[in-house]
Amino acid sequence: MNTRPIRFAGLALLLLTAPAFASPPEQKGSSVTPEGIEVPKPPFTEGIFPCTSCHDGKQMKVDTRRRELGMHSEIQEQLHHGPATRWCLDCHDASSRDYLHLASGEKVSFNASYLLCGQCHGDKLRDWRMGIHGKRTGSWNGAKQYLLCVNCHNPHSPHFAPLKPMPPPTRPEDIKLTKGGAQ
Amino acid sequence: MTDPKPIHPPAGAVESSACGGRREFLGTAVATVAMALTGCGKLSKEEFLQHNFRELSKDELQTIIARLEREYEEKYHKAVKVGNEPAMPGVIFGYALDLSRCIGCRRCVHACVKENNQSRDPQIQWIRVLEMDKEEGVNIQHAEQYYNPEEVPRESHFYMPVQCQQCKRPPCVKVCPVGATWKEKDGIVVVDYNWCIGCRYCMAACPYGARHFNWGEPHLESADVNPATHYLGNRPRAKGVVEKCTFCVQRTRNGLYPACVEICPTGSRKFGNLLDAKSEIRQVLETKRVFKFKEDLNTQPTFFYFYGV
Ligand code: SF4
Ligand code: SF4
């Protein structure tokens, strides 16, 4: 009964893993959200999107039960976001796998995932829209790109990862000057 | 005695004195004076006779820029553009840095060096990141700039990058005896590197350690030269002049964000037009807890620190 295809059937869509979340990636392709904000591509694992290439409702049956996943187990292991009861389908949509959904059930595309984040982090969403939280690139007086929440915070483990600092300045006593210029 | 040497090489000769000069040196009395004054054969007649940037006519400026571009190309073997975009009307730049987000990774420091053609050897950096104790708060007595742990942020520490605060009442400008540094209409405090005499009064006057002196011949590999420059910004400097952050004048006057804003992985750096009520910088000022560094000195920075949380 519990054959592999069935085990896989209906697994939640957890597409985002953590490649270089700490340093926002160079934008490879961008898109415009329904409300007209230009955002980079969400940091999908290579080749994983669209999710419906597996979760098409035919190859796998939808299984909404909370359980240990076979596929995407690495995401389940690193899931540290909010209460322990958090579950894939809280955010990923079981019937339209290429979408997320709000608490209301309203579908949200991956490039507008900030709407989903903003349900709990409303103050951050407000600041993000004003350009206080998050990061914008491009032109201060013209077109800009907004990084998505998920470009910096792994949605499954959102705490900002520590970084190795770049080299400290040279101490003055270690700066050598040769007469006529340091060469 | 029998073979009196000319005081200076003939026109067009390449000067190779101990001062490392390589500029064309014209056999004129003026050049001799220049040499006598500077003690080295580096200064060309044109450079010696050049006026303060603010007094130049359009034509003079074009000639000077053409000369500089030629000299840079000779030196770095690549085309370097020296821009002179003026301040945009209706714009005063402002900057804000989120102390609750900065993790002290120094990405900004090194992006700045790259963008602004700072000397790699001897090392010059315009941004200094201070590591401070959370318990102490902003307290320079407890600031460390040479921190180098495996990972940042370190437990119970926070980080405060310091660079030129583009003061509204800049003491550095006030003390300059020759008017080689001034505040532009868009709020950027700039230096005319060709007018600076290297007295370093401004460095003594600046309470933020924001100014840096070229004690040695600045060294910059050709490959490292950023060829998109501005006369008052990131064009390569010479030995003996002072330099500082210009909010990336070569970028910001063309509508771009400064390099440090674009690189910061935590989005701690905010930049924009203080006169535009919708700009990010205005949103910060109007909705967050903001302070100015060393506010009591009344330098009135247009660089702010805030707590985004
Ligand atoms: S790049 Fe950003 S986080 Fe890193 S030290 Fe600079 S301001 Fe702080
Ligand atoms: S921070 Fe220092 S260099 Fe910059 S404007 Fe103020 S006094 Fe001048």
Side-chain angles (χ1 to χ4, degrees):
Chain A
M1 285 298 274
N2 215 4
T3 56
R4 279 176 71 82
I6 292 176
R7 264 179 71 94
F8 288 168
L11 292 189
L13 286 174
L14 286 170
L15 302 167
L16 304 165
T17 57
F21 272 101
S23 43
E26 291 306 338
Q27 346 269 235
K28 281 186 233 92
S30 62
S31 59
V32 177
T33 69
E35 58 184 305
I37 301 174
E38 197 187 329
V39 295
K41 223 177 99 205
F44 294 124
T45 309
E46 216 39 65
I48 200 131
F49 196 80
C51 316
T52 42
S53 54
C54 297
H55 297 279
D56 60 357
K58 292 185 205 114
Q59 299 174 50
M60 301 178 207
K61 288 270 171 309
V62 178
D63 179 356
T64 56
R65 283 172 305 155
R66 185 184 300 274
R67 64 198 181 284
E68 212 165 286
L69 302 178
M71 185 78 178
H72 303 307
S73 58
E74 74 290 352
I75 295 175
Q76 195 170 30
E77 275 157 30
Q78 55 147 319
L79 187 63
H80 294 294
H81 193 165
T85 53
R86 184 74 70 238
W87 171 243
C88 319
L89 298 177
D90 292 351
C91 304
H92 293 271
D93 198 82
S95 54
S96 308
R97 289 291 171 156
D98 294 335
Y99 288 86
L100 302 162
H101 65 235
L102 303 183
S104 65
E106 188 190 327
K107 279 200 251 339
V108 166
S109 63
F110 276 91
N111 75 359
S113 53
Y114 53 87
L115 295 173
L116 182 65
C117 311
Q119 295 179 118
C120 296
H121 309 282
D123 56 333
K124 295 293 178 293
L125 177 59
R126 182 199 61 206
D127 282 358
W128 181 80
R129 286 187 192 281
M130 295 197 290
I132 298 174
H133 187 100
K135 177 170 163 181
R136 297 176 175 181
T137 54
S139 174
W140 59 266
N141 62 355
K144 8 185 165 299
Q145 273 206 335
Y146 296 29
L147 288 189
L148 289 165
C149 316
V150 293
N151 288 122
C152 300
H153 302 280
N154 179 344
H156 305 117
S157 190
H159 188 74
F160 196 90
L163 292 178
K164 177 156 182 47
M166 289 189 76
T170 312
R171 290 172 189 271
E173 58 269 32
D174 296 333
I175 294 182
K176 291 193 183 58
L177 291 182
T178 41
K179 200 159 188 303
Q183 231 89 123
Chain B
M1 291 305 247
T2 50
D3 183 20
K5 287 206 172 90
I7 303 169
H8 34 261
V14 174
E15 181 64 27
S16 59
S17 71
C19 302
R22 39 138 208 101
R23 292 182 183 164
E24 283 174 55
F25 204 70
L26 301 174
T28 68
V30 169
T32 315
V33 174
M35 180 141 82
L37 280 177
T38 59
C40 104
K42 276 190 68 178
L43 217 52
S44 66
K45 181 186 92 179
E46 291 91 334
E47 200 175 332
F48 180 71
L49 289 178
Q50 182 180 322
H51 285 275
N52 185 303
F53 180 83
R54 285 175 294 176
E55 295 170 352
L56 297 174
S57 71
K58 267 213 177 90
D59 286 353
E60 284 172 318
L61 186 59
Q62 282 321 315
T63 319
I64 289 164
I65 283 182
R67 189 192 79 226
L68 286 171
E69 289 183 342
R70 204 175 55 239
E71 287 177 0
Y72 290 140
E73 181 158 1
E74 247 170 60
K75 181 162 182 191
Y76 299 112
H77 310 291
K78 69 194 223 190
V80 174
K81 183 192 163 272
V82 179
N84 67 324
E85 294 85 349
M88 298 181 192
V91 172
I92 294 178
F93 289 124
Y95 203 115
L97 201 149
D98 189 345
L99 289 185
S100 67
R101 306 245 170 268
C102 173
I103 57 170
C105 69
R106 294 201 189 95
R107 302 287 187 277
C108 49
V109 176
H110 293 267
C112 170
V113 167
K114 256 186 163 167
E115 168 67 33
N116 289 296
N117 291 323
Q118 275 103 314
S119 168
R120 310 303 203 265
D121 175 30
Q123 183 187 69
I124 290 188
Q125 297 179 343
W126 292 351
I127 305 177
R128 191 134 302 205
V129 187
L130 306 179
E131 185 182 61
M132 300 199 191
D133 281 349
K134 279 193 176 159
E135 277 199 0
E136 292 291 334
V138 177
N139 181 348
I140 322 248
Q141 311 289 316
H142 292 260
E144 165 63 40
Q145 53 168 315
Y146 300 109
Y147 67 88
N148 197 20
E150 268 310 298
E151 283 188 336
V152 284
R154 281 209 299 156
E155 189 68 37
S156 70
H157 287 80
F158 71 98
Y159 298 84
M160 177 162 171
V162 181
Q163 61 209 70
C164 174
Q165 312 276 307
Q166 317 291 353
C167 308
K168 239 182 285 167
R169 296 181 70 246
C172 56
V173 168
K174 203 154 122 192
V175 300
C176 178
V178 296
T181 185
W182 65 90
K183 193 166 179 68
E184 292 263 290
K185 285 219 170 63
D186 53 8
I188 303 178
V189 173
V190 295
V191 181
D192 181 349
Y193 312 117
N194 280 47
W195 200 252
C196 170
I197 58 171
C199 70
R200 308 191 297 285
Y201 282 16
C202 57
M203 290 173 68
C206 171
Y208 304 97
R211 290 182 167 251
H212 305 270
F213 186 62
N214 285 280
W215 290 97
E217 196 62 52
H219 189 68
L220 185 61
E221 292 291 337
S222 292
D224 292 336
V225 173
N226 171 9
T229 76
H230 191 286
Y231 186 96
L232 299 172
N234 62 340
R235 68 183 169 101
R237 277 77 66 189
K239 180 178 168 179
V241 303
V242 164
E243 57 181 72
K244 61 178 266 301
C245 159
T246 65
F247 279 171
C248 284
V249 60
Q250 68 284 355
R251 294 174 60 90
T252 48
R253 285 194 182 166
N254 287 307
L256 297 173
Y257 283 111
C260 48
V261 172
E262 290 241 325
I263 197 82
C264 177
T266 60
S268 302
R269 292 170 167 272
K270 306 295 167 198
F271 177 84
N273 181 5
L274 286 169
L275 302 181
D276 171 5
K278 290 209 194 70
S279 66
E280 293 130 58
I281 182 74
R282 279 286 291 276
Q283 306 302 316
V284 171
L285 297 184
E286 279 161 32
T287 61
K288 295 294 169 187
R289 283 188 297 143
V290 177
F291 76 89
K292 297 177 210 154
F293 190 26
K294 304 195 183 183
E295 186 177 11
D296 43 336
L297 298 177
N298 201 20
T299 50
Q300 302 183 11
T302 47
F303 192 108
F304 304 88
Y305 294 90
F306 73 105
Y307 299 96
V309 285

